[in-house]
Amino acid sequence: MSNLSYANEHSDAWQTYLAQIDRVAPHLGDLKQYIETLKRPKRALIVDVPIVMDDGSIRHFEGYRVQHNLSRGPGKGGVRYHPNVDLNEVMALSAWMTIKTAVLNLPFGGAKGGIRVDPRQLSPRELERLTRRFTTEISSLIGPQTDIPAPDVGTNPNIMGWMMDTYSMIQGHTVTGVVTGKPVHLGGSLGRVRATGRGVFVTGLQAAQKIGLEVAGSKVAVQGFGNVGSEAAYLFNEANAKIVAVQDHTGTIFNAEGFDVKALQKHVEEHQGVAGFADAQVIDNEAFWDVDMDILIPAALEAQITLERAQNLKAKLVLEGANGPTYPKADDVLVERGVTVVPDVICNAGGVTVSYFEWVQDMASYFWTEEEINERLDKLMIQAINDVWNTAKDKECSLRTAAYILACERILKARKERGIFPG
Ligand code: GLU
């Protein structure tokens, strides 16, 4: 049975976000007077999701949809299925979406949803019932002009297809633009599945170039080998970097010569994890953080880079494929130690950027080629990382604070110009 969790503080994610906001405040000039709006979500819905299991029993799951800020447009952000999901985490994830869409200058606000469930424990039919009931429960909040869900940890294009269909059934007509990350034949976009990993690679290349790190021959460690980590690993490997360590929920594997990433992807597809991969030394999970590496790609969950891990990390460059992987105190240590961190709100923004393209294509009912999508994605990501880089130089701050400066200026300017209703 799932426990009610919204009274508990299981994760520090919201505290991490608040600390990030406190750091940007001194840089915002007059706009600082509006910053309080970013320290609370605009709206949060907690729903009970009861489903009939395959054995005829009934189980209840706890679901959430949080709209953090809508000053710049409809809410945008994924839906997470994970046993540790709670309100605190979904609030933080929704807030990071607000910042992320603003850094990329996409015409969206920030939102996020989730269900406290281990999707691996459900049959496909149970997963479908869970998704359809959850979509029904949050249907008063979502819509192509109000709030557009997408995949996140534990969800995928099939689940988005069910969400789109359920919402469409309620409306009485097909509404493809209500979610993004759908299967391509249901109004999805080419390039969406691989977009987040691609964005990690594209921003990573730019950052590596700026700090004089040669990617060819460099040693890369990846935490998380799902949608994001595996694609980023693949692209870095194609650029002749060596993927020397990979960690996921099944364990940690190491190979000083670098893995055959395609073979590892095939293994993970067949065995649902990296454990058991040939040509790999199994190492202790904690030893992952001490591996001799040039680039670290945390692409799993929040709160991974702790103070202690940051103190010993050998990487010169950290590419945050995950949302919120670094604690604020660890961030300070990395800055002091001269480690460059490309923050989540830009590094993993490739996914939401192609989600934006998908939404635009659905609105227009006109679809682009994969080349057009990747070209536009790369252009937006490169522009954004360069803007963040130059702001960091200008203000003498970290890339994270620089990204927050650019984002908060856009969000709070919109807030100021729209005014506070009813005036
Ligand atoms: N869940 C992804 C993220 O954290 C994608 C969100 C979206 O495409 O809307 O950015």
Side-chain angles (χ1 to χ4, degrees):
M1 274 298 125
S2 60
N3 294 319
L4 285 181
S5 66
Y6 44 85
N8 300 336
E9 298 273 287
H10 285 301
S11 87
D12 301 308
W14 181 249
Q15 286 305 323
T16 295
Y17 164 73
L18 289 181
Q20 291 164 345
I21 287 293
D22 283 342
R23 286 163 188 216
V24 71
H27 297 280
L28 294 177
D30 279 356
L31 290 171
K32 197 179 155 194
Q33 61 182 304
Y34 300 97
I35 202 155
E36 195 60 27
T37 195
L38 293 174
K39 293 190 181 176
R40 52 195 76 221
K42 177 180 176 62
R43 165 180 303 136
L45 180 65
I46 301 171
V47 296
D48 175 36
V49 189
I51 62 163
V52 179
M53 306 296 284
D54 290 347
D55 66 4
S57 65
I58 298 167
R59 278 188 67 183
H60 290 252
F61 298 89
E62 196 175 300
Y64 311 88
R65 186 72 189 171
V66 176
Q67 295 172 348
H68 173 258
N69 186 282
L70 306 179
S71 293
R72 302 181 61 259
K76 187 83 197 79
V79 174
R80 178 171 295 197
Y81 288 1
H82 192 276
N84 293 341
V85 163
D86 63 11
L87 182 60
N88 180 307
E89 181 186 42
V90 180
M91 277 163 53
L93 292 167
S94 70
W96 286 322
M97 289 310 301
T98 301
I99 304 294
K100 200 185 298 187
T101 52
V103 177
L104 267 292
N105 214 358
L106 309 178
F108 293 128
K112 200 83 173 199
I115 306 180
R116 191 174 175 75
V117 61
D118 183 352
R120 291 193 189 92
Q121 311 262 310
L122 298 187
S123 72
R125 287 285 292 123
E126 290 166 343
L127 202 57
E128 179 174 349
R129 284 196 284 268
L130 181 82
T131 300
R132 290 188 183 278
R133 182 61 188 253
F134 173 67
T135 307
T136 307
E137 295 297 338
I138 65 164
S139 63
S140 57
L141 284 196
I142 62 172
Q145 304 301 338
T146 49
D147 181 356
I148 305 120
D152 194 77
V153 174
T155 56
N156 57 34
N158 281 343
I159 291 176
M160 295 305 114
W162 291 326
M163 287 190 80
M164 186 277 275
D165 181 69
T166 306
Y167 183 82
S168 298
M169 288 291 121
I170 295 169
Q171 298 301 312
H173 58 96
T174 300
V175 187
T176 52
V178 65
V179 292
T180 58
K182 301 178 293 293
V184 172
H185 54 280
L186 294 180
S189 177
L190 293 166
R192 174 62 185 87
V193 172
R194 301 168 79 176
T196 313
R198 185 181 177 91
V200 171
F201 175 68
V202 169
T203 54
L205 274 194
Q206 295 295 311
Q209 202 178 43
K210 287 178 196 293
I211 64 170
L213 173 68
E214 186 74 57
V215 167
S218 66
K219 298 183 275 300
V220 181
V222 184
Q223 188 200 34
F225 208 72
N227 180 37
V228 182
S230 69
E231 179 65 15
Y234 170 77
L235 292 171
F236 270 103
N237 196 216
E238 289 291 288
N240 294 321
K242 287 190 286 189
I243 312 302
V244 294
V246 178
Q247 177 173 91
D248 74 359
H249 64 284
T250 64
T252 306
I253 55 172
F254 175 79
N255 183 337
E257 298 311 310
F259 294 114
D260 174 343
V261 175
K262 272 193 181 161
L264 182 57
Q265 284 176 329
K266 193 160 173 276
H267 175 88
V268 170
E269 218 174 275
E270 284 162 9
H271 301 90
Q272 280 75 53
V274 298
F277 184 59
D279 284 339
Q281 186 188 335
V282 176
I283 60 170
D284 193 63
N285 280 341
E286 197 51 38
F288 172 80
W289 303 98
D290 299 324
V291 163
D292 185 19
M293 60 174 96
D294 301 301
I295 302 176
L296 170 67
I297 306 178
L301 296 170
E302 306 89 78
Q304 298 301 302
I305 306 184
T306 58
L307 190 62
E308 294 73 31
R309 289 171 180 171
Q311 273 156 350
N312 298 319
L313 200 67
K314 302 208 174 50
K316 301 172 191 72
L317 182 60
V318 176
L319 306 176
E320 292 187 339
N323 291 307
T326 311
Y327 279 102
K329 283 197 175 126
D331 237 350
D332 294 340
V333 169
L334 294 174
V335 169
E336 270 164 35
R337 296 191 53 225
V339 180
T340 301
V341 179
V342 181
D344 48 5
V345 290
I346 171 151
C347 194
N348 71 34
V352 72
T353 300
V354 176
S355 275
Y356 165 54
F357 297 160
E358 179 171 332
W359 181 76
V360 168
Q361 292 171 86
D362 286 342
M363 294 293 147
S365 295
Y366 179 75
F367 292 86
W368 313 344
T369 65
E370 190 154 0
E371 289 72 42
E372 282 171 318
I373 284 153
N374 286 341
E375 200 182 298
R376 290 178 202 211
L377 170 64
D378 293 358
K379 203 171 152 200
L380 286 190
M381 297 292 290
I382 290 170
Q383 175 76 48
I385 181 80
N386 282 330
D387 288 350
V388 169
W389 195 274
N390 294 337
T391 304
K393 281 266 152 334
D394 239 37
K395 309 273 183 189
E396 298 180 353
C397 64
S398 68
L399 292 178
R400 190 183 318 277
T401 299
Y404 275 63
I405 292 173
L406 288 176
C408 292
E409 280 176 358
R410 286 176 182 146
I411 301 157
L412 300 180
K413 201 157 174 258
R415 172 80 177 177
K416 181 180 174 192
E417 287 171 2
R418 289 179 68 156
I420 294 187
F421 180 82

